Amino acid sequence: PEDMELVLGSPSVRRRYLDVALSTLDGTYLRLLNQYNKILEQRNSLLKAIRERPASSRRERLSELEYWDHELINRAAYIVAARVRFVGVIAAPLDESFRTLLGQEFELSAEYTANGNSEMPVGIRASRQDPIDAQRTIAQWLESEINNRRDEEFARGVTAAGPHRDDLTFLLDGRDLEAYGSRGQQRLAVVSLKLAEIEAIRQATGESAVLLLDDVLSELDEGRRKRLLSRLSDIGGQLIVTATDINLLETELLEHLPLHEVEAGTVTRRVARG
């Protein structure tokens, strides 16, 4: 249930989702993300120190700041490029799963966006470039952003642009899902995102992920519940489904799975279904 925050929560929730998903698939991403966070902390500390100085003497530490600019941008380019590429991989399975589960012809799309005061170029968000070329393009854009916002950073004492400010936006027929989607559509979008992530994992590793659906069925009407269970039969891999109402699990679509009941901390396998 708390995964609804992927749609309704703050950008930091969605950034963390991207970071966890990509760190699972890409060891280089995890290493550079850790480095980026440490560099960001150092750069912000320097900006705070500069903010306390008289405006006339701030430029004296510009060379020191430029060193951290280079270190930050070097890591940020890889991080943003990997995130954009991941969003591109999940785009088709996300929309396909959503249409199937909803049973209606609504388009669900995901878009990687800059969450600062500037617009990320469309060419970066929809990049189909070679990874090295994509990183170069992103690095040039971030360098321009940081240079253009130097005075803002001096005034605020924080880094104004970079992957720590970006967001993952979900659009329903081109409109913001959080603002315009129903609760049911938002919930199905989260489930569709998980199914799309399974496909991304399969493409990257050749293996199927373990999928846990924790009390999801109770939040869906009968038609959407059946469509979800039917969809799950096609994804492969290990599946764990929980519910507080056993009637939701005693269905033909789940009869291939063993059924267990947990009561007062004791797990009991039910031999007969129904």
Side-chain angles (χ1 to χ4, degrees):
E2 62 268 22
D3 282 338
M4 284 293 289
E5 290 296 298
L6 289 170
V7 172
L8 304 176
S10 67
S12 64
V13 175
R14 291 179 286 277
R15 287 194 296 268
R16 185 178 185 279
Y17 165 76
L18 290 172
D19 289 339
V20 171
L22 282 161
S23 294
T24 302
L25 300 174
D26 183 352
T28 299
Y29 183 94
L30 177 59
R31 175 172 56 83
L32 294 182
L33 177 67
N34 288 333
Q35 292 177 5
Y36 177 87
N37 288 330
K38 292 176 182 178
I39 293 167
L40 179 65
E41 185 177 349
Q42 292 285 341
R43 191 175 187 276
N44 285 342
S45 295
L46 178 58
L47 286 169
K48 288 181 175 66
I50 293 174
R51 182 181 58 181
E52 301 303 318
R53 297 170 67 92
S56 59
S57 63
R58 287 176 179 174
R59 297 289 172 177
E60 296 174 5
R61 304 194 68 175
L62 189 57
S63 61
E64 185 179 354
L65 187 60
E66 288 175 343
Y67 166 79
W68 291 114
D69 290 351
H70 174 78
E71 296 297 305
L72 190 84
I73 290 169
N74 180 267
R75 277 75 174 180
Y78 186 96
I79 292 169
V80 173
R83 288 179 178 179
V84 170
R85 192 161 56 249
F86 178 80
V87 173
V89 168
I90 67 172
L94 174 69
D95 184 44
E96 180 187 359
S97 292
F98 184 75
R99 290 173 188 263
T100 299
L101 299 182
L102 189 65
Q104 297 173 284
E105 284 301 310
F106 282 93
E107 179 188 12
L108 179 66
S109 58
E111 189 174 273
Y112 188 77
T113 57
N115 198 35
N117 296 325
S118 62
E119 183 70 19
M120 180 178 289
V122 174
I124 292 177
R125 293 201 312 266
S127 176
R128 297 293 184 272
Q129 303 178 65
D130 173 84
I132 300 301
D133 291 338
Q135 290 175 50
R136 187 179 299 113
T137 301
I138 292 166
Q140 291 171 349
W141 173 72
L142 282 173
E143 182 178 16
S144 176
E145 279 293 293
I146 287 174
N147 288 333
N148 290 339
R149 301 172 72 170
R150 186 78 74 192
D151 290 339
E152 176 189 347
E153 291 189 331
F154 285 164
R156 297 176 58 203
V158 295
T159 302
H164 65 288
R165 300 289 308 280
D166 296 346
D167 197 1
L168 177 63
T169 304
F170 295 101
L171 302 174
L172 181 66
D173 278 351
R175 301 199 300 177
D176 182 58
L177 177 65
E178 179 183 0
Y180 295 100
S182 68
R183 187 74 174 182
Q185 289 169 331
Q186 293 166 348
R187 190 172 301 282
L188 287 179
V190 172
V191 176
S192 299
L193 178 63
K194 296 296 182 178
L195 298 180
E197 184 182 352
I198 287 176
E199 181 58 31
I201 292 171
R202 183 180 291 113
Q203 288 188 30
T205 68
E207 299 179 359
S208 296
V210 178
L211 176 62
L212 167 62
L213 294 179
D214 186 12
D215 200 24
V216 171
L217 300 179
S218 63
E219 303 290 342
L220 304 176
D221 61 42
E222 184 178 358
R224 290 171 180 174
R225 190 159 58 239
K226 287 182 177 179
R227 285 192 290 272
L228 172 58
L229 294 177
S230 178
R231 181 77 171 179
L232 294 178
S233 65
D234 298 329
I235 65 171
Q238 185 176 1
L239 173 64
I240 303 171
V241 184
T242 75
T244 55
D245 181 358
I246 199 167
N247 292 318
L248 296 174
L249 302 178
E250 292 182 323
T251 167
E252 181 180 350
L253 293 167
L254 289 177
E255 65 182 6
H256 63 291
L257 296 179
L259 179 61
H260 296 78
E261 189 169 11
V262 183
E263 185 174 358
T266 301
V267 181
T268 305
R269 177 164 181 172
R270 292 172 64 104
V271 177
R273 305 298 299 268

PDB file of all heavy atoms in Angstrom, residues 164-196:
ATOM      1  N   HIS A 164      19.837  15.055  -7.954  1.00  0.00           N
ATOM      2  CA  HIS A 164      19.197  15.138  -6.633  1.00  0.00           C
ATOM      3  C   HIS A 164      17.975  16.045  -6.647  1.00  0.00           C
ATOM      4  O   HIS A 164      17.238  16.116  -5.665  1.00  0.00           O
ATOM      5  CB  HIS A 164      20.204  15.663  -5.598  1.00  0.00           C
ATOM      6  CG  HIS A 164      20.654  17.064  -5.849  1.00  0.00           C
ATOM      7  ND1 HIS A 164      21.497  17.374  -6.894  1.00  0.00           N
ATOM      8  CD2 HIS A 164      20.362  18.231  -5.224  1.00  0.00           C
ATOM      9  CE1 HIS A 164      21.723  18.685  -6.878  1.00  0.00           C
ATOM     10  NE2 HIS A 164      21.041  19.225  -5.887  1.00  0.00           N
ATOM     11  N   ARG A 165      17.747  16.739  -7.767  1.00  0.00           N
ATOM     12  CA  ARG A 165      16.585  17.621  -7.894  1.00  0.00           C
ATOM     13  C   ARG A 165      15.571  17.122  -8.920  1.00  0.00           C
ATOM     14  O   ARG A 165      14.515  17.734  -9.110  1.00  0.00           O
ATOM     15  CB  ARG A 165      17.056  19.028  -8.338  1.00  0.00           C
ATOM     16  CG  ARG A 165      18.016  19.730  -7.395  1.00  0.00           C
ATOM     17  CD  ARG A 165      17.338  20.186  -6.122  1.00  0.00           C
ATOM     18  NE  ARG A 165      16.135  20.961  -6.383  1.00  0.00           N
ATOM     19  CZ  ARG A 165      16.120  22.264  -6.725  1.00  0.00           C
ATOM     20  NH1 ARG A 165      17.267  22.917  -6.873  1.00  0.00           N
ATOM     21  NH2 ARG A 165      14.989  22.888  -6.917  1.00  0.00           N
ATOM     22  N   ASP A 166      15.867  16.027  -9.608  1.00  0.00           N
ATOM     23  CA  ASP A 166      15.035  15.573 -10.726  1.00  0.00           C
ATOM     24  C   ASP A 166      13.844  14.751 -10.240  1.00  0.00           C
ATOM     25  O   ASP A 166      13.710  14.435  -9.057  1.00  0.00           O
ATOM     26  CB  ASP A 166      15.880  14.776 -11.724  1.00  0.00           C
ATOM     27  CG  ASP A 166      16.957  15.627 -12.382  1.00  0.00           C
ATOM     28  OD1 ASP A 166      16.880  16.860 -12.262  1.00  0.00           O
ATOM     29  OD2 ASP A 166      17.875  15.051 -13.003  1.00  0.00           O
ATOM     30  N   ASP A 167      12.983  14.383 -11.175  1.00  0.00           N
ATOM     31  CA  ASP A 167      11.741  13.695 -10.808  1.00  0.00           C
ATOM     32  C   ASP A 167      11.333  12.732 -11.917  1.00  0.00           C
ATOM     33  O   ASP A 167      11.790  12.837 -13.065  1.00  0.00           O
ATOM     34  CB  ASP A 167      10.630  14.724 -10.565  1.00  0.00           C
ATOM     35  CG  ASP A 167       9.448  14.156  -9.786  1.00  0.00           C
ATOM     36  OD1 ASP A 167       9.481  12.969  -9.404  1.00  0.00           O
ATOM     37  OD2 ASP A 167       8.481  14.912  -9.557  1.00  0.00           O
ATOM     38  N   LEU A 168      10.473  11.806 -11.559  1.00  0.00           N
ATOM     39  CA  LEU A 168       9.846  10.880 -12.493  1.00  0.00           C
ATOM     40  C   LEU A 168       8.360  11.193 -12.490  1.00  0.00           C
ATOM     41  O   LEU A 168       7.692  11.023 -11.466  1.00  0.00           O
ATOM     42  CB  LEU A 168      10.093   9.430 -12.062  1.00  0.00           C
ATOM     43  CG  LEU A 168       9.431   8.327 -12.901  1.00  0.00           C
ATOM     44  CD1 LEU A 168       9.966   8.354 -14.325  1.00  0.00           C
ATOM     45  CD2 LEU A 168       9.667   6.970 -12.255  1.00  0.00           C
ATOM     46  N   THR A 169       7.850  11.673 -13.614  1.00  0.00           N
ATOM     47  CA  THR A 169       6.459  12.102 -13.711  1.00  0.00           C
ATOM     48  C   THR A 169       5.638  11.071 -14.470  1.00  0.00           C
ATOM     49  O   THR A 169       6.062  10.595 -15.527  1.00  0.00           O
ATOM     50  CB  THR A 169       6.361  13.461 -14.431  1.00  0.00           C
ATOM     51  OG1 THR A 169       7.184  14.412 -13.752  1.00  0.00           O
ATOM     52  CG2 THR A 169       4.928  13.961 -14.459  1.00  0.00           C
ATOM     53  N   PHE A 170       4.464  10.732 -13.926  1.00  0.00           N
ATOM     54  CA  PHE A 170       3.559   9.799 -14.598  1.00  0.00           C
ATOM     55  C   PHE A 170       2.423  10.589 -15.240  1.00  0.00           C
ATOM     56  O   PHE A 170       1.801  11.443 -14.593  1.00  0.00           O
ATOM     57  CB  PHE A 170       2.998   8.783 -13.607  1.00  0.00           C
ATOM     58  CG  PHE A 170       4.043   7.882 -13.025  1.00  0.00           C
ATOM     59  CD1 PHE A 170       4.551   8.120 -11.756  1.00  0.00           C
ATOM     60  CD2 PHE A 170       4.541   6.812 -13.747  1.00  0.00           C
ATOM     61  CE1 PHE A 170       5.534   7.299 -11.219  1.00  0.00           C
ATOM     62  CE2 PHE A 170       5.522   5.987 -13.232  1.00  0.00           C
ATOM     63  CZ  PHE A 170       6.022   6.234 -11.959  1.00  0.00           C
ATOM     64  N   LEU A 171       2.154  10.291 -16.507  1.00  0.00           N
ATOM     65  CA  LEU A 171       1.150  11.024 -17.268  1.00  0.00           C
ATOM     66  C   LEU A 171       0.061  10.077 -17.746  1.00  0.00           C
ATOM     67  O   LEU A 171       0.343   9.007 -18.286  1.00  0.00           O
ATOM     68  CB  LEU A 171       1.796  11.715 -18.473  1.00  0.00           C
ATOM     69  CG  LEU A 171       2.938  12.690 -18.170  1.00  0.00           C
ATOM     70  CD1 LEU A 171       3.576  13.184 -19.455  1.00  0.00           C
ATOM     71  CD2 LEU A 171       2.432  13.861 -17.338  1.00  0.00           C
ATOM     72  N   LEU A 172      -1.182  10.472 -17.537  1.00  0.00           N
ATOM     73  CA  LEU A 172      -2.343   9.720 -17.990  1.00  0.00           C
ATOM     74  C   LEU A 172      -2.953  10.482 -19.159  1.00  0.00           C
ATOM     75  O   LEU A 172      -3.488  11.572 -18.986  1.00  0.00           O
ATOM     76  CB  LEU A 172      -3.370   9.590 -16.860  1.00  0.00           C
ATOM     77  CG  LEU A 172      -4.636   8.797 -17.163  1.00  0.00           C
ATOM     78  CD1 LEU A 172      -4.312   7.331 -17.398  1.00  0.00           C
ATOM     79  CD2 LEU A 172      -5.637   8.951 -16.023  1.00  0.00           C
ATOM     80  N   ASP A 173      -2.801   9.910 -20.358  1.00  0.00           N
ATOM     81  CA  ASP A 173      -3.218  10.606 -21.582  1.00  0.00           C
ATOM     82  C   ASP A 173      -2.624  12.022 -21.633  1.00  0.00           C
ATOM     83  O   ASP A 173      -3.295  12.988 -21.991  1.00  0.00           O
ATOM     84  CB  ASP A 173      -4.743  10.676 -21.679  1.00  0.00           C
ATOM     85  CG  ASP A 173      -5.344   9.396 -22.231  1.00  0.00           C
ATOM     86  OD1 ASP A 173      -4.583   8.526 -22.698  1.00  0.00           O
ATOM     87  OD2 ASP A 173      -6.577   9.260 -22.212  1.00  0.00           O
ATOM     88  N   GLY A 174      -1.360  12.129 -21.235  1.00  0.00           N
ATOM     89  CA  GLY A 174      -0.639  13.402 -21.325  1.00  0.00           C
ATOM     90  C   GLY A 174      -0.855  14.342 -20.164  1.00  0.00           C
ATOM     91  O   GLY A 174      -0.263  15.429 -20.141  1.00  0.00           O
ATOM     92  N   ARG A 175      -1.671  13.963 -19.174  1.00  0.00           N
ATOM     93  CA  ARG A 175      -1.928  14.830 -18.014  1.00  0.00           C
ATOM     94  C   ARG A 175      -1.394  14.172 -16.744  1.00  0.00           C
ATOM     95  O   ARG A 175      -1.358  12.959 -16.631  1.00  0.00           O
ATOM     96  CB  ARG A 175      -3.422  15.114 -17.869  1.00  0.00           C
ATOM     97  CG  ARG A 175      -4.029  15.797 -19.092  1.00  0.00           C
ATOM     98  CD  ARG A 175      -5.357  16.469 -18.759  1.00  0.00           C
ATOM     99  NE  ARG A 175      -6.358  15.522 -18.275  1.00  0.00           N
ATOM    100  CZ  ARG A 175      -7.576  15.888 -17.863  1.00  0.00           C
ATOM    101  NH1 ARG A 175      -7.915  17.172 -17.871  1.00  0.00           N
ATOM    102  NH2 ARG A 175      -8.436  14.966 -17.447  1.00  0.00           N
ATOM    103  N   ASP A 176      -0.980  15.004 -15.802  1.00  0.00           N
ATOM    104  CA  ASP A 176      -0.354  14.514 -14.582  1.00  0.00           C
ATOM    105  C   ASP A 176      -1.273  13.538 -13.854  1.00  0.00           C
ATOM    106  O   ASP A 176      -2.408  13.867 -13.497  1.00  0.00           O
ATOM    107  CB  ASP A 176      -0.015  15.694 -13.674  1.00  0.00           C
ATOM    108  CG  ASP A 176       0.692  15.239 -12.410  1.00  0.00           C
ATOM    109  OD1 ASP A 176       1.754  14.613 -12.516  1.00  0.00           O
ATOM    110  OD2 ASP A 176       0.157  15.500 -11.312  1.00  0.00           O
ATOM    111  N   LEU A 177      -0.778  12.317 -13.628  1.00  0.00           N
ATOM    112  CA  LEU A 177      -1.591  11.267 -13.020  1.00  0.00           C
ATOM    113  C   LEU A 177      -1.986  11.621 -11.597  1.00  0.00           C
ATOM    114  O   LEU A 177      -3.105  11.323 -11.167  1.00  0.00           O
ATOM    115  CB  LEU A 177      -0.812   9.946 -13.031  1.00  0.00           C
ATOM    116  CG  LEU A 177      -1.487   8.749 -12.379  1.00  0.00           C
ATOM    117  CD1 LEU A 177      -2.754   8.355 -13.129  1.00  0.00           C
ATOM    118  CD2 LEU A 177      -0.522   7.557 -12.307  1.00  0.00           C
ATOM    119  N   GLU A 178      -1.090  12.250 -10.858  1.00  0.00           N
ATOM    120  CA  GLU A 178      -1.409  12.601  -9.469  1.00  0.00           C
ATOM    121  C   GLU A 178      -2.588  13.562  -9.389  1.00  0.00           C
ATOM    122  O   GLU A 178      -3.461  13.432  -8.529  1.00  0.00           O
ATOM    123  CB  GLU A 178      -0.186  13.224  -8.788  1.00  0.00           C
ATOM    124  CG  GLU A 178      -0.454  13.628  -7.345  1.00  0.00           C
ATOM    125  CD  GLU A 178       0.732  14.302  -6.693  1.00  0.00           C
ATOM    126  OE1 GLU A 178       1.781  14.463  -7.357  1.00  0.00           O
ATOM    127  OE2 GLU A 178       0.619  14.672  -5.512  1.00  0.00           O
ATOM    128  N   ALA A 179      -2.621  14.532 -10.306  1.00  0.00           N
ATOM    129  CA  ALA A 179      -3.657  15.559 -10.265  1.00  0.00           C
ATOM    130  C   ALA A 179      -4.961  15.119 -10.920  1.00  0.00           C
ATOM    131  O   ALA A 179      -6.050  15.478 -10.458  1.00  0.00           O
ATOM    132  CB  ALA A 179      -3.150  16.836 -10.934  1.00  0.00           C
ATOM    133  N   TYR A 180      -4.871  14.321 -11.990  1.00  0.00           N
ATOM    134  CA  TYR A 180      -6.056  14.032 -12.802  1.00  0.00           C
ATOM    135  C   TYR A 180      -6.507  12.570 -12.761  1.00  0.00           C
ATOM    136  O   TYR A 180      -7.600  12.261 -13.226  1.00  0.00           O
ATOM    137  CB  TYR A 180      -5.800  14.436 -14.261  1.00  0.00           C
ATOM    138  CG  TYR A 180      -5.605  15.918 -14.439  1.00  0.00           C
ATOM    139  CD1 TYR A 180      -4.324  16.470 -14.557  1.00  0.00           C
ATOM    140  CD2 TYR A 180      -6.695  16.784 -14.481  1.00  0.00           C
ATOM    141  CE1 TYR A 180      -4.140  17.834 -14.713  1.00  0.00           C
ATOM    142  CE2 TYR A 180      -6.524  18.148 -14.640  1.00  0.00           C
ATOM    143  CZ  TYR A 180      -5.243  18.668 -14.752  1.00  0.00           C
ATOM    144  OH  TYR A 180      -5.073  20.014 -14.904  1.00  0.00           O
ATOM    145  N   GLY A 181      -5.683  11.678 -12.231  1.00  0.00           N
ATOM    146  CA  GLY A 181      -6.070  10.272 -12.209  1.00  0.00           C
ATOM    147  C   GLY A 181      -6.938   9.933 -11.014  1.00  0.00           C
ATOM    148  O   GLY A 181      -6.829  10.548  -9.938  1.00  0.00           O
ATOM    149  N   SER A 182      -7.818   8.954 -11.179  1.00  0.00           N
ATOM    150  CA  SER A 182      -8.623   8.474 -10.061  1.00  0.00           C
ATOM    151  C   SER A 182      -7.752   7.622  -9.147  1.00  0.00           C
ATOM    152  O   SER A 182      -6.642   7.219  -9.511  1.00  0.00           O
ATOM    153  CB  SER A 182      -9.801   7.650 -10.569  1.00  0.00           C
ATOM    154  OG  SER A 182      -9.345   6.431 -11.144  1.00  0.00           O
ATOM    155  N   ARG A 183      -8.268   7.321  -7.963  1.00  0.00           N
ATOM    156  CA  ARG A 183      -7.512   6.490  -7.024  1.00  0.00           C
ATOM    157  C   ARG A 183      -7.248   5.115  -7.631  1.00  0.00           C
ATOM    158  O   ARG A 183      -6.161   4.558  -7.494  1.00  0.00           O
ATOM    159  CB  ARG A 183      -8.306   6.352  -5.722  1.00  0.00           C
ATOM    160  CG  ARG A 183      -7.558   5.651  -4.598  1.00  0.00           C
ATOM    161  CD  ARG A 183      -6.501   6.540  -3.998  1.00  0.00           C
ATOM    162  NE  ARG A 183      -5.892   5.919  -2.823  1.00  0.00           N
ATOM    163  CZ  ARG A 183      -4.978   6.498  -2.084  1.00  0.00           C
ATOM    164  NH1 ARG A 183      -4.540   7.710  -2.390  1.00  0.00           N
ATOM    165  NH2 ARG A 183      -4.474   5.890  -1.017  1.00  0.00           N
ATOM    166  N   GLY A 184      -8.246   4.567  -8.307  1.00  0.00           N
ATOM    167  CA  GLY A 184      -8.067   3.261  -8.941  1.00  0.00           C
ATOM    168  C   GLY A 184      -7.028   3.291 -10.039  1.00  0.00           C
ATOM    169  O   GLY A 184      -6.213   2.370 -10.169  1.00  0.00           O
ATOM    170  N   GLN A 185      -7.031   4.350 -10.855  1.00  0.00           N
ATOM    171  CA  GLN A 185      -6.041   4.479 -11.916  1.00  0.00           C
ATOM    172  C   GLN A 185      -4.636   4.638 -11.335  1.00  0.00           C
ATOM    173  O   GLN A 185      -3.671   4.068 -11.848  1.00  0.00           O
ATOM    174  CB  GLN A 185      -6.389   5.671 -12.807  1.00  0.00           C
ATOM    175  CG  GLN A 185      -7.619   5.450 -13.670  1.00  0.00           C
ATOM    176  CD  GLN A 185      -8.088   6.723 -14.346  1.00  0.00           C
ATOM    177  OE1 GLN A 185      -7.892   7.834 -13.836  1.00  0.00           O
ATOM    178  NE2 GLN A 185      -8.721   6.576 -15.508  1.00  0.00           N
ATOM    179  N   GLN A 186      -4.522   5.397 -10.261  1.00  0.00           N
ATOM    180  CA  GLN A 186      -3.228   5.585  -9.620  1.00  0.00           C
ATOM    181  C   GLN A 186      -2.704   4.264  -9.051  1.00  0.00           C
ATOM    182  O   GLN A 186      -1.518   3.945  -9.178  1.00  0.00           O
ATOM    183  CB  GLN A 186      -3.339   6.634  -8.511  1.00  0.00           C
ATOM    184  CG  GLN A 186      -3.623   8.033  -9.029  1.00  0.00           C
ATOM    185  CD  GLN A 186      -4.057   8.987  -7.931  1.00  0.00           C
ATOM    186  OE1 GLN A 186      -4.361   8.575  -6.810  1.00  0.00           O
ATOM    187  NE2 GLN A 186      -4.104  10.280  -8.249  1.00  0.00           N
ATOM    188  N   ARG A 187      -3.588   3.473  -8.456  1.00  0.00           N
ATOM    189  CA  ARG A 187      -3.167   2.202  -7.884  1.00  0.00           C
ATOM    190  C   ARG A 187      -2.709   1.240  -8.978  1.00  0.00           C
ATOM    191  O   ARG A 187      -1.693   0.552  -8.844  1.00  0.00           O
ATOM    192  CB  ARG A 187      -4.313   1.587  -7.080  1.00  0.00           C
ATOM    193  CG  ARG A 187      -3.900   0.384  -6.253  1.00  0.00           C
ATOM    194  CD  ARG A 187      -5.013  -0.056  -5.340  1.00  0.00           C
ATOM    195  NE  ARG A 187      -5.426   1.001  -4.434  1.00  0.00           N
ATOM    196  CZ  ARG A 187      -4.769   1.371  -3.331  1.00  0.00           C
ATOM    197  NH1 ARG A 187      -3.648   0.744  -3.014  1.00  0.00           N
ATOM    198  NH2 ARG A 187      -5.221   2.326  -2.563  1.00  0.00           N
ATOM    199  N   LEU A 188      -3.459   1.193 -10.065  1.00  0.00           N
ATOM    200  CA  LEU A 188      -3.073   0.314 -11.174  1.00  0.00           C
ATOM    201  C   LEU A 188      -1.775   0.782 -11.824  1.00  0.00           C
ATOM    202  O   LEU A 188      -1.015  -0.031 -12.333  1.00  0.00           O
ATOM    203  CB  LEU A 188      -4.192   0.251 -12.210  1.00  0.00           C
ATOM    204  CG  LEU A 188      -5.437  -0.549 -11.806  1.00  0.00           C
ATOM    205  CD1 LEU A 188      -6.474  -0.511 -12.906  1.00  0.00           C
ATOM    206  CD2 LEU A 188      -5.073  -1.991 -11.467  1.00  0.00           C
ATOM    207  N   ALA A 189      -1.522   2.079 -11.806  1.00  0.00           N
ATOM    208  CA  ALA A 189      -0.267   2.599 -12.346  1.00  0.00           C
ATOM    209  C   ALA A 189       0.921   2.082 -11.536  1.00  0.00           C
ATOM    210  O   ALA A 189       1.965   1.727 -12.101  1.00  0.00           O
ATOM    211  CB  ALA A 189      -0.280   4.123 -12.354  1.00  0.00           C
ATOM    212  N   VAL A 190       0.769   2.019 -10.213  1.00  0.00           N
ATOM    213  CA  VAL A 190       1.842   1.512  -9.361  1.00  0.00           C
ATOM    214  C   VAL A 190       2.093   0.033  -9.647  1.00  0.00           C
ATOM    215  O   VAL A 190       3.243  -0.405  -9.779  1.00  0.00           O
ATOM    216  CB  VAL A 190       1.496   1.733  -7.872  1.00  0.00           C
ATOM    217  CG1 VAL A 190       2.517   1.026  -6.983  1.00  0.00           C
ATOM    218  CG2 VAL A 190       1.454   3.220  -7.550  1.00  0.00           C
ATOM    219  N   VAL A 191       1.010  -0.757  -9.757  1.00  0.00           N
ATOM    220  CA  VAL A 191       1.167  -2.180 -10.072  1.00  0.00           C
ATOM    221  C   VAL A 191       1.821  -2.350 -11.443  1.00  0.00           C
ATOM    222  O   VAL A 191       2.710  -3.185 -11.626  1.00  0.00           O
ATOM    223  CB  VAL A 191      -0.200  -2.894 -10.032  1.00  0.00           C
ATOM    224  CG1 VAL A 191      -0.046  -4.358 -10.456  1.00  0.00           C
ATOM    225  CG2 VAL A 191      -0.814  -2.818  -8.636  1.00  0.00           C
ATOM    226  N   SER A 192       1.393  -1.532 -12.402  1.00  0.00           N
ATOM    227  CA  SER A 192       1.963  -1.597 -13.752  1.00  0.00           C
ATOM    228  C   SER A 192       3.448  -1.258 -13.739  1.00  0.00           C
ATOM    229  O   SER A 192       4.234  -1.842 -14.492  1.00  0.00           O
ATOM    230  CB  SER A 192       1.209  -0.643 -14.685  1.00  0.00           C
ATOM    231  OG  SER A 192      -0.156  -0.986 -14.775  1.00  0.00           O
ATOM    232  N   LEU A 193       3.831  -0.319 -12.887  1.00  0.00           N
ATOM    233  CA  LEU A 193       5.240   0.045 -12.766  1.00  0.00           C
ATOM    234  C   LEU A 193       6.057  -1.136 -12.266  1.00  0.00           C
ATOM    235  O   LEU A 193       7.163  -1.402 -12.763  1.00  0.00           O
ATOM    236  CB  LEU A 193       5.394   1.239 -11.823  1.00  0.00           C
ATOM    237  CG  LEU A 193       6.823   1.723 -11.557  1.00  0.00           C
ATOM    238  CD1 LEU A 193       7.476   2.220 -12.847  1.00  0.00           C
ATOM    239  CD2 LEU A 193       6.823   2.822 -10.489  1.00  0.00           C
ATOM    240  N   LYS A 194       5.520  -1.866 -11.301  1.00  0.00           N
ATOM    241  CA  LYS A 194       6.223  -3.045 -10.783  1.00  0.00           C
ATOM    242  C   LYS A 194       6.364  -4.120 -11.865  1.00  0.00           C
ATOM    243  O   LYS A 194       7.408  -4.762 -11.979  1.00  0.00           O
ATOM    244  CB  LYS A 194       5.480  -3.609  -9.571  1.00  0.00           C
ATOM    245  CG  LYS A 194       5.439  -2.677  -8.382  1.00  0.00           C
ATOM    246  CD  LYS A 194       6.820  -2.414  -7.840  1.00  0.00           C
ATOM    247  CE  LYS A 194       6.769  -1.518  -6.605  1.00  0.00           C
ATOM    248  NZ  LYS A 194       8.104  -1.278  -6.034  1.00  0.00           N
ATOM    249  N   LEU A 195       5.304  -4.318 -12.630  1.00  0.00           N
ATOM    250  CA  LEU A 195       5.371  -5.306 -13.707  1.00  0.00           C
ATOM    251  C   LEU A 195       6.373  -4.878 -14.779  1.00  0.00           C
ATOM    252  O   LEU A 195       7.092  -5.708 -15.348  1.00  0.00           O
ATOM    253  CB  LEU A 195       3.985  -5.498 -14.324  1.00  0.00           C
ATOM    254  CG  LEU A 195       2.904  -6.045 -13.383  1.00  0.00           C
ATOM    255  CD1 LEU A 195       1.574  -6.178 -14.121  1.00  0.00           C
ATOM    256  CD2 LEU A 195       3.318  -7.379 -12.787  1.00  0.00           C
ATOM    257  N   ALA A 196       6.429  -3.572 -15.060  1.00  0.00           N
ATOM    258  CA  ALA A 196       7.395  -3.066 -16.032  1.00  0.00           C
ATOM    259  C   ALA A 196       8.820  -3.225 -15.515  1.00  0.00           C
ATOM    260  O   ALA A 196       9.754  -3.520 -16.281  1.00  0.00           O
ATOM    261  CB  ALA A 196       7.107  -1.597 -16.337  1.00  0.00           C
TER     262      ALA A 196
END
